[in-house]
Amino acid sequence: MQIDDTDRRLLRHLLAEPDLATPDLAARAGVTQATCWRRLERLSEQGVIAARQAVIDWRALGYEVEVSLRFTLDKTNPRAFDEFLAAAREVPEVIGIETFLGRVDVRLNVIARDMGHYQQIYRERILTLPHIADIEALMLIATIKESAGLPL
């Protein structure tokens, strides 16, 4: 899909502040409200804007630990991926699931209230997931940059 400079301005401002009202977004992008609304509708219809969503700060809710777990699966079972992913989706503390090509097959992002809670999740829920051949854990220390923005 082709976008122009006006679309890029709208998207940049929308990424910076997803909850901007249409009149405010239009003013910041330097277009009329009608133009802004039409452009947003077109970008949504064409799948460029998938959703406006809330971003939850898990730490504010008492989840102080975040761990990225990298899994290599035992792929001798043809259903290994499907069964692993189905079971991982059932773990409430798993907030992200990604699959990869390469040495690592799957990455789970897990949150916990503290290290004791993480240890409980790890022993009772993670280690019981099917078809695990290897696990590597990476503890999040700090997020330096987090952006869904594009170089628009």
Side-chain angles (χ1 to χ4, degrees):
M1 177 189 156
Q2 295 292 324
I3 62 173
D4 62 15
D5 288 339
T6 300
D7 292 331
R8 287 184 187 89
R9 280 195 312 277
L10 287 168
L11 291 171
R12 270 196 299 272
H13 289 291
L14 195 57
L15 283 169
E17 291 186 63
D19 58 345
L20 272 177
T22 303
D24 296 329
L25 180 58
R28 290 186 188 182
V31 298
T32 66
Q33 290 182 40
T35 298
C36 180
W37 185 85
R38 279 193 312 273
R39 298 248 181 170
L40 291 176
E41 284 295 307
R42 181 178 53 83
L43 291 167
S44 294
E45 288 170 3
Q46 294 179 341
V48 174
I49 298 173
R52 293 189 190 191
Q53 61 190 28
V55 177
I56 297 169
D57 180 353
W58 296 108
R59 291 184 189 274
L61 294 173
Y63 289 86
E64 296 294 328
V65 174
E66 184 173 343
V67 180
S68 177
L69 297 170
R70 297 178 182 179
F71 294 86
T72 303
L73 301 179
D74 174 7
K75 294 174 279 296
T76 58
N77 180 329
R79 303 259 322 130
F81 269 91
D82 294 335
E83 291 172 5
F84 179 88
L85 294 174
R89 282 186 188 101
E90 298 300 317
V91 179
E93 295 84 2
V94 171
I95 60 169
I97 302 174
E98 299 165 314
T99 59
F100 297 90
L101 290 175
R103 191 176 61 81
V104 172
D105 295 315
V106 180
R107 181 172 67 189
L108 302 182
N109 291 323
V110 178
I111 57 172
R113 290 185 298 278
D114 53 37
M115 287 304 293
H117 184 223
Y118 171 72
Q119 186 176 18
Q120 178 186 4
I121 295 165
Y122 186 77
R123 287 181 178 169
E124 295 175 10
R125 296 192 177 130
I126 301 300
L127 290 179
T128 61
L129 294 172
H131 310 293
I132 298 172
D134 189 38
I135 304 175
E136 178 184 8
L138 300 171
M139 173 93 42
L140 178 69
I141 301 299
T143 300
I144 307 304
K145 179 180 179 182
E146 184 173 72
S147 171
L150 298 173
L152 297 174

